[in-house]
Amino acid sequence: MSLNNSSSVFLDSVPTNTNRFQVNVINENHESCAAGIDNTDPPHYEETSFGDEQNRLRISFRPGNQECYDNFLQTGETTKTDASFHTYDSHTNTYYLQTFGHNTMDAVPKIEYYRNTGSVSGPKVNRPSLLEIHEQLAKNVAVTPGSADRVANGEGMPGEEHAENKEEDNKAGAVKFGWVKGVLVRCMLNIWGVMLFIRLSWIVGEAGIGLGVVIILLSTMVTSITGLSTSAIATNGFVRGGGAYYLISRSLGPEFGGSIGLIFAFANAVAVAMYVVGFAETVVDLLKESDSMMVDPTNDIRIIGSITVVILLGISVAGMEWEAKAQVILLIILLIAIANFFIGTVIPSNNEKKSRGFFNYQASIFAENFGPSFTKGEGFFSVFAIFFPAATGILAGANISGDLEVYNNMLGNGKETSVYVDNISITMIVPTGACVVRDATGSMNDTIISGINCNGSAACGLGYDFSRCRHEPCQYGLMNNFQVMSMVSGFGPLITAGIFSATLSSALASLVSAPKVFQALCKDNIYKALQFFAKGYGKNNEPLRGYILTFVIAMAFILIAELNTIAPIISNFFLASYALINFSCFHASYAKSPGWRPAYGIYNMWVSLFGAVLCCAVMFVINWWAAVITYVIEFFLYIYVTYKKPDVNWGSSTQALSYVSALDNALELTTVEDHVKNFRPQCIVLTGGPMTRPALLDITYAFTKNSGLCICCEVFVGPRKLCVKEMNSGMAKKQAWLIKNKIKAFYAAVAADCFRDGVRSLLQASGLGRMKPNTLVIGYKKKWRKAPLTEIENYVGIIHDAFDFEIGVVIVRISQGFDISQVLQVQEELEKLEQERLALEATIKDNECEEGNGGIRGLFKKVGKLNITKPTPKKDSSINTIQSMHVGEFNQKLVEASTQFKKKQGKGTIDVWWLFDDGGLTLLIPYILTLRKKWKDCKLRIYVGGKINRIEEEKIAMASLLSKFRIKFADIHIIGDINIKPNKESWKFFEEMIEPYRLHESCKDLTTAEKLKRETPWKITDAELEAVKEKSYRQVRLNELLQEHSRAANLIVLSLPVARKGSISDLLYMAWLEILTKNLPPVLLVRGNHKNVLTFYS
């Protein structure tokens, strides 16, 4: 292959110093590697895909040219180019093979970019940010050859990742299990547990063969649906430790997960007791046969159970590897025992076994045992409750999800197989019900002499009379003997060994599951008081503290020593867990989140919902009061977690559904026209950062809380690049501040060339559908007389813009102003320096403690100490400088003023000066304030303008209007002397205030006046001042009236004067606002958009 480097080939001239970021279009001609072969084909470009950190290559060859690429592997394995080829050499015949993914900062797709921080499956790598890629291309910055390779292909990692990688290396020796040993074996051992060998015969005796099969099928239905739902959730992403708790919490959120996590962990702990008690019952029966009882049956069960659980605890603490090996051995014994049972059913029975009710397969026994024969206090669902724990084994593998190699794929395989295996219980019901009668005496003398009338029972027909069992208790038969399986089997001790295997393996699995689930719950720190149990030990992160807690709970329930009492408790808790797992699957599907993509597709959302409803129904049918208690506990935990609001974000389906609901509601709102009865102030508040003007936000939030939209807005003015970077970096922090301070508001920011343009963008684009702002809230520009002219123009301009967009305006003024950014900056510096001081002291203290170490290590530590303490004087001097600052410099009055609207307002008044009808916003805002807790003790006083000779009539008319609006008020004042001239002192103050901004063109000749107008168009002309002199009088006079009537008010709400565009200069308008609100309590200048916001129609 040759490469044509002639100048006519390149679109751009070749730079003298080429690098990998300067890629030119070239013409490539393929030629044969062999000298004797001519290739006259036209240039042929081939698709290539290159790309990870080790130069893995996938190459498409043209026929006949494969020998040219012998130095590359076609399978995509790691290859290296010949040493003679430089990676960035664009003049060799392999350059085009190294172009894609190697000539740019852009990164090719890699799994490392999508991992979570601290992932157990491998390190997380950060791809280049969009800003890095964008800026590099824009500036064409040269990068050292090779450095971009590492970034683009994921070889370079941020410094913070190294610690996580080190932690992962420490876990490299952790034991992981495949789907057979980790899922299938555990599920089978739990399903073929204590109920199969000890209670299956009793279930057949009580429910009969027919209903017994129904019980097993119902259990299988519940577990099968739950298994499908579990598999779907588990294959929708990587699953860590925690099993059912992890699945529910990550799907439905911490509220559901936290509540069911405790219940599920507790159920597994109680299950340990159930299985151990089953084991102890079998041992006690053996002791009875050999007449070796220690105390009595109940206490013997307690003693044996306590010893057994201690031994199991030792095995569990020894580690997961030992526990897994024990499980495999126990499963082998269990399988042999089951086969032994089936063999025993066909071995001819002897007289001893017949006296105990075993007659091999008999049609008469099958017919007699097919129907139910419930004893006193038992029924279908009570029997189901005792059997159901046998079916809960399907989650045994899920509970150790953190110890599986590839959990997602394994769980589906293991659960499917284990659920099918559950049906073996059905095949064991039939032999049991067809071979053994319900009651037997155990006496070989109870035979029937030929010729005596038979009582009609199956045993009677087979030559035995067990009729006395109707009047007195018997020890044998399906109803009485829990060791029927041993009697039926070919070799009894094997069944005993199977029972031991089944009970001990199930107990062991539960003893491991409960701490693992509990540890996962505690690690998430949902319940802070339980954080103690989150700590793990060893390479497998064993929850030793959780083992001890599980041991204590199991011991407490072992003391009950009644298997039939313990089993229903577990059934309730497990059914509650299953209900939520099924609901989680349904909820995730119903939310229609794009992130819901389970690899396990054999599920249906409606089947999952049916499974959830079925679980709840079965709970209530088994024991309604126990179900109520379970759900009360769950509800209490749910409320607790909701109230505490744990700082977690798992992308749950609850969040997805909330988004869908919000979107649907927002779209639905757009189909309905706005109605005056539903009007509410929806405000854009120009706070800047919400923490910098808290008082402005507080007063706005007081009348938007729980009723209207509130958006805190900030405009970043300056170079676009810097503004956008600063804006993006602070968005999350400022929204988090709102959440932390429990302010139900949004934060929005824009970058603009000037402040007015930014606000104009916010006014036009903020909101969504009907949830758009209708009111602009801004703070009063207190220092306007010292501000640059452009700032004043922007300030007044945004008021004009708001009116142009038909948006109401509220200007808030308080005596000390709003901006506390300087105070926050000083406090932040103090906190930072204090943290540095404490860290420095801790470092020095640690070094002093180690100072006594001798030898070379001691020498290095002393050197390290010197290095650490070198910058100390500088830091100390900074601290002393800050601490020496006087407290008064922080402007305590400003800090106090910033919190004045957070405090409860005492008894007082809100004075509403409703001078101009703006649609009612001036009246609505103070009314809403009086509904708040902090303002409820303040009464409304209404002030309106009127004629002196009609004061009473107008007062009655206003009272009538307010009563129709259903707005309560304390008093109404008609002000008849608004339009008289203000006193001389007030007017003089106004004139002195505007004097620096006046043009005084009337005192100059026409030419000079015109020149001044052109040079300083912003100044107040004599003509303008004369034209609006009456309005200026009114503003000054209003201040006098406000001083007279409302000086003691808690808050003044006043109609905002409107400056007509082109007629009122910006400085004159600011002078109006200044004189109007001077020396007053907090003032709200309000002007609605002159559309009705109040109505008296229903």
Side-chain angles (χ1 to χ4, degrees):
M1 183 178 71
S2 64
L3 184 67
N4 190 342
N5 290 332
S6 63
S7 59
S8 61
V9 174
F10 295 90
L11 295 181
D12 299 320
S13 60
V14 181
T16 57
N17 183 20
T18 59
N19 62 51
R20 64 196 294 272
F21 295 100
Q22 295 168 328
V23 181
N24 299 306
V25 179
I26 61 175
N27 183 13
E28 298 176 348
N29 292 318
H30 292 266
E31 294 182 359
S32 174
C33 292
I37 301 176
D38 290 334
N39 190 344
T40 58
D41 290 343
H44 182 80
Y45 296 94
E46 304 183 8
E47 294 182 358
T48 59
S49 177
F50 312 106
D52 58 281
E53 70 277 8
Q54 295 181 332
N55 297 329
R56 297 182 181 181
L57 308 175
R58 298 181 190 275
I59 309 165
S60 300
F61 295 102
R62 290 185 56 208
N65 288 342
Q66 184 166 351
E67 62 272 20
C68 296
Y69 310 97
D70 287 339
N71 61 324
F72 301 108
L73 299 180
Q74 302 310 303
T75 58
E77 296 299 326
T78 303
T79 64
K80 294 184 179 179
T81 57
D82 193 289
S84 63
F85 297 144
H86 192 282
T87 309
Y88 310 107
D89 184 4
S90 62
H91 299 282
T92 65
N93 61 351
T94 59
Y95 172 63
Y96 85 102
L97 293 176
Q98 300 180 19
T99 299
F100 184 69
H102 286 272
N103 69 325
T104 173
M105 285 287 291
D106 242 341
V108 295
K110 291 170 63 68
I111 190 173
E112 286 81 1
Y113 298 135
Y114 297 91
R115 289 195 176 110
N116 286 336
T117 301
S119 171
V120 297
S121 58
K124 172 181 170 56
V125 178
N126 289 338
R127 68 176 63 81
S129 70
L130 184 60
L131 183 63
E132 289 171 347
I133 296 172
H134 190 216
E135 291 300 323
Q136 289 285 355
L137 289 176
K139 292 187 176 182
N140 196 23
V141 176
V143 179
T144 304
S147 63
D149 262 346
R150 290 190 296 273
V151 176
N153 294 291
E155 294 175 13
M157 285 177 293
E160 64 268 15
E161 298 296 334
H162 292 306
E164 292 162 10
N165 294 338
K166 184 176 180 181
E167 184 180 348
E168 297 305 324
D169 292 339
N170 293 336
K171 294 182 179 179
V175 178
K176 298 292 182 181
F177 305 111
W179 76 272
V180 174
K181 189 185 288 188
V183 181
L184 181 61
V185 170
R186 294 174 185 277
C187 292
M188 289 170 64
L189 283 171
N190 272 265
I191 291 170
W192 294 338
V194 62
M195 294 303 167
L196 183 69
F197 287 100
I198 300 180
R199 287 296 183 271
L200 188 64
S201 58
W202 177 83
I203 289 167
V204 175
E206 290 283 350
I209 297 172
L211 289 183
V213 171
V214 172
I215 286 173
I216 293 177
L217 289 176
L218 181 59
S219 301
T220 304
M221 180 188 295
V222 172
T223 53
S224 298
I225 295 173
T226 306
L228 294 176
S229 300
T230 305
S231 299
I233 299 172
T235 56
N236 190 53
F238 182 78
V239 177
R240 295 181 184 270
Y245 157 72
Y246 189 93
L247 299 179
I248 295 171
S249 62
R250 268 51 177 185
S251 182
L252 289 180
E255 296 82 7
F256 282 105
S259 57
I260 205 63
L262 276 181
I263 292 176
F264 190 72
F266 180 76
N268 274 283
V270 177
V272 176
M274 181 187 75
Y275 295 126
V276 169
V277 167
F279 169 79
E281 275 191 8
T282 304
V283 176
V284 168
D285 286 339
L286 293 175
L287 292 177
K288 281 182 182 179
E289 291 179 4
S290 60
D291 197 19
S292 303
M293 299 289 293
M294 291 179 284
V295 186
D296 57 68
T298 302
N299 285 312
D300 282 4
I301 289 174
R302 291 169 180 163
I303 294 170
I304 295 168
S306 301
I307 296 171
T308 304
V309 79
V310 170
I311 296 172
L312 293 176
L313 178 65
I315 296 173
S316 300
V317 171
M320 290 292 295
E321 191 171 5
W322 283 95
E323 185 263 351
K325 291 177 180 177
Q327 294 279 28
V328 173
I329 295 171
L330 293 173
L331 178 62
I332 294 171
I333 297 173
L334 187 62
L335 291 172
I336 295 172
I338 291 174
N340 179 47
F341 167 76
F342 284 107
I343 293 170
T345 59
V346 296
I347 297 176
S349 178
N350 55 34
N351 290 335
E352 183 182 1
K353 289 186 177 181
K354 287 181 179 179
S355 67
R356 295 182 178 183
F358 174 50
F359 296 95
N360 295 111
Y361 290 99
Q362 301 292 337
S364 58
I365 296 178
F366 179 87
E368 184 178 74
N369 289 343
F370 188 82
S373 179
F374 295 115
T375 55
K376 185 177 180 181
E378 300 294 348
F380 175 81
F381 284 103
S382 65
V383 174
F384 173 83
I386 292 171
F387 174 79
F388 186 74
T392 59
I394 64 161
L395 288 182
N399 293 336
I400 63 160
S401 53
D403 297 298
L404 300 178
E405 288 176 352
V406 188
Y407 176 77
N408 310 60
N409 298 327
M410 294 175 180
L411 192 64
N413 298 333
K415 288 196 178 306
E416 283 181 17
T417 310
S418 60
V419 168
Y420 298 148
V421 165
D422 193 17
N423 292 321
I424 290 181
S425 302
I426 297 176
T427 64
M428 296 184 74
I429 272 189
V430 176
T432 305
C435 296
V436 186
V437 296
R438 282 192 167 100
D439 295 296
T441 60
S443 174
M444 289 185 285
N445 296 324
D446 287 338
T447 56
I448 296 176
I449 302 172
S450 57
I452 298 178
N453 292 330
C454 188
N455 59 13
S457 67
C460 184
L462 295 170
Y464 280 83
D465 182 12
F466 299 143
S467 58
R468 62 190 175 95
C469 291
R470 298 176 183 176
H471 312 292
E472 60 184 60
C474 294
Q475 295 183 358
Y476 298 97
L478 296 174
M479 305 283 280
N480 312 302
N481 183 14
F482 293 146
Q483 303 299 326
V484 166
M485 306 286 278
S486 296
M487 178 185 68
V488 172
S489 66
F491 183 61
L494 270 180
I495 291 295
T496 302
I499 294 173
F500 288 175
S501 298
T503 53
L504 293 178
S505 62
S506 300
L508 198 56
S510 297
L511 188 57
V512 170
S513 298
K516 292 283 185 182
V517 173
F518 193 59
Q519 183 188 35
L521 173 66
C522 297
K523 275 185 175 180
D524 289 335
N525 204 20
I526 293 176
Y527 303 102
K528 295 187 182 298
L530 302 178
Q531 184 66 22
F532 173 79
F533 295 98
K535 184 174 176 59
Y537 298 86
K539 62 183 181 182
N540 264 43
N541 197 31
E542 296 290 348
L544 299 185
R545 296 172 179 177
Y547 282 133
I548 300 302
L549 180 63
T550 304
F551 170 77
V552 172
I553 295 172
M555 283 292 293
F557 278 86
I558 285 172
L559 297 179
I560 296 176
E562 283 291 337
L563 190 63
N564 287 14
T565 303
I566 299 172
I569 298 173
I570 300 171
S571 295
N572 246 324
F573 287 161
F574 274 119
L575 280 166
S577 303
Y578 289 1
L580 273 183
I581 290 175
N582 285 306
F583 184 73
S584 298
C585 184
F586 164 76
H587 200 268
S589 302
Y590 185 73
K592 298 175 183 176
S593 171
W596 174 248
R597 303 183 301 275
Y600 188 85
I602 311 174
Y603 79 97
N604 182 277
M605 60 183 287
W606 300 111
V607 172
S608 296
L609 180 62
F610 170 74
V613 174
L614 180 63
C615 289
C616 294
V618 170
M619 281 181 68
F620 280 94
V621 173
I622 288 174
N623 192 326
W624 67 268
W625 57 265
V628 169
I629 291 174
T630 302
Y631 279 110
V632 166
I633 294 171
E634 188 177 327
F635 181 72
F636 171 77
L637 294 173
Y638 177 89
I639 295 298
Y640 173 81
V641 176
T642 303
Y643 175 75
K644 287 294 183 180
K645 289 185 173 61
D647 187 19
V648 294
N649 182 10
W650 295 325
S652 65
S653 60
T654 305
Q655 293 174 339
L657 194 61
S658 297
Y659 174 84
V660 172
S661 299
L663 183 61
D664 288 343
N665 291 335
L667 290 171
E668 189 175 348
L669 276 176
T670 61
T671 64
V672 181
E673 290 294 327
D674 288 332
H675 194 280
V676 63
K677 287 196 296 184
N678 293 322
F679 177 87
R680 59 199 67 218
Q682 304 196 113
C683 300
I684 278 185
V685 197
L686 298 185
T687 58
M691 64 284 290
T692 59
R693 293 176 177 81
L696 181 62
L697 177 58
D698 289 337
I699 189 64
T700 307
Y701 186 57
F703 58 81
T704 61
K705 180 181 179 182
N706 297 330
S707 62
L709 180 69
C710 181
I711 306 176
C712 301
C713 295
E714 184 170 10
V715 179
F716 290 87
V717 179
R720 182 174 181 81
K721 177 183 174 182
L722 296 177
C723 288
V724 170
K725 184 177 181 181
E726 184 182 358
M727 179 180 71
N728 291 340
S729 63
M731 292 281 283
K733 179 183 176 182
K734 290 166 184 175
Q735 184 65 54
W737 185 89
L738 292 170
I739 295 171
K740 181 182 178 182
N741 288 272
K742 299 180 179 179
I743 297 174
K744 296 177 181 178
F746 299 96
Y747 171 77
V750 294
D753 295 330
C754 72
F755 182 70
R756 183 177 181 181
D757 287 346
V759 176
R760 189 184 290 125
S761 299
L762 288 167
L763 291 173
Q764 294 178 89
S766 295
L768 185 68
R770 297 290 182 196
M771 294 185 295
K772 289 185 71 68
N774 53 34
T775 307
L776 171 67
V777 181
I778 57 177
Y780 177 70
K781 195 170 186 62
K782 183 181 178 184
K783 298 179 181 179
W784 63 274
R785 280 179 279 186
K786 297 179 181 179
L789 181 63
T790 54
E791 289 188 12
I792 299 173
E793 290 176 350
N794 284 333
Y795 185 82
V796 178
I798 63 173
I799 298 174
H800 289 305
D801 293 337
F803 291 148
D804 288 342
F805 298 135
E806 295 189 337
I807 292 176
V809 175
V810 177
I811 301 176
V812 187
R813 180 175 185 178
I814 59 176
S815 59
Q816 297 296 325
F818 293 104
D819 191 357
I820 63 168
S821 55
Q822 291 183 349
V823 176
L824 294 176
Q825 186 176 359
V826 172
Q827 288 178 347
E828 187 178 346
E829 285 295 324
L830 280 174
E831 290 174 2
K832 183 179 178 181
L833 291 172
E834 180 65 16
Q835 289 175 358
E836 290 180 358
R837 185 183 67 80
L838 293 174
L840 185 63
E841 288 179 356
T843 304
I844 294 172
K845 187 176 180 180
D846 291 342
N847 279 272
E848 288 175 351
C849 293
E850 296 174 359
E851 192 174 335
N853 293 339
I856 296 175
R857 286 182 62 191
L859 178 62
F860 280 126
K861 288 181 179 178
K862 289 178 182 177
V863 173
K865 179 182 176 181
L866 291 174
N867 290 336
I868 292 172
T869 56
K870 195 174 290 182
T872 300
K874 182 180 178 181
K875 292 184 179 180
D876 284 345
S877 63
S878 300
I879 295 170
N880 292 333
T881 302
I882 296 294
Q883 288 178 342
S884 65
M885 295 171 65
H886 195 271
V887 177
E889 294 182 28
F890 292 145
N891 197 339
Q892 292 299 317
K893 290 184 178 180
L894 178 60
V895 175
E896 290 173 5
S898 69
T899 61
Q900 63 179 308
F901 297 126
K902 292 182 183 292
K903 302 172 184 176
K904 182 175 176 61
Q905 306 296 316
K907 289 186 178 180
T909 62
I910 298 177
D911 288 359
V912 183
W913 290 70
W914 195 16
L915 303 177
F916 307 105
D917 194 336
D918 58 351
L921 186 64
T922 307
L923 188 60
L924 181 62
I925 287 177
Y927 167 73
I928 295 174
L929 285 175
T930 60
L931 303 179
R932 309 303 183 200
K933 276 185 180 180
K934 293 172 183 175
W935 294 89
K936 67 177 183 179
D937 293 332
C938 295
K939 307 298 182 184
L940 291 185
R941 292 194 304 188
I942 311 298
Y943 293 83
V944 293
K947 297 179 181 179
I948 296 178
N949 58 350
R950 287 181 52 84
I951 288 179
E952 287 303 320
E953 291 85 342
E954 292 188 2
K955 187 173 183 179
I956 293 171
M958 179 55 62
S960 174
L961 178 61
L962 293 175
S963 63
K964 288 182 178 180
F965 286 149
R966 303 171 302 284
I967 292 178
K968 296 179 181 179
F969 57 91
D971 201 358
I972 296 176
H973 296 269
I974 306 298
I975 308 298
D977 53 351
I978 293 178
N979 289 325
I980 65 174
K981 288 184 179 181
N983 61 49
K984 293 181 179 180
E985 291 79 8
S986 299
W987 182 249
K988 183 180 179 182
F989 177 85
F990 178 75
E991 287 186 322
E992 290 175 352
M993 181 171 58
I994 64 174
E995 179 61 30
Y997 313 111
R998 292 187 62 180
L999 189 65
H1000 289 295
E1001 79 280 7
S1002 58
C1003 302
K1004 300 176 178 64
D1005 60 83
L1006 187 61
T1007 305
T1008 305
E1010 290 298 325
K1011 181 180 178 182
L1012 288 173
K1013 284 182 182 180
R1014 287 194 302 272
E1015 292 175 350
T1016 55
W1018 46 271
K1019 284 197 171 184
I1020 305 170
T1021 63
D1022 293 341
E1024 175 193 358
L1025 195 60
E1026 186 63 30
V1028 295
K1029 194 169 187 178
E1030 293 297 325
K1031 289 187 177 181
S1032 298
Y1033 281 158
R1034 185 190 307 148
Q1035 314 310 325
V1036 179
R1037 176 58 183 160
L1038 277 173
N1039 182 260
E1040 292 177 351
L1041 293 170
L1042 287 164
Q1043 298 282 355
E1044 178 184 348
H1045 294 279
S1046 299
R1047 185 64 187 248
N1050 294 54
L1051 180 70
I1052 298 172
V1053 182
L1054 174 66
S1055 292
L1056 172 70
V1058 176
R1060 191 177 295 276
K1061 287 194 297 183
S1063 301
I1064 308 297
S1065 62
D1066 296 339
L1067 289 167
L1068 179 59
Y1069 186 64
M1070 292 302 300
W1072 283 0
L1073 300 183
E1074 175 69 29
I1075 195 65
L1076 187 61
T1077 58
K1078 178 176 172 289
N1079 296 331
L1080 290 172
V1083 178
L1084 266 64
L1085 293 166
V1086 181
R1087 175 67 69 153
N1089 62 1
H1090 286 240
K1091 294 181 180 178
N1092 287 350
V1093 301
L1094 294 173
T1095 183
F1096 44 79
Y1097 294 106
S1098 59

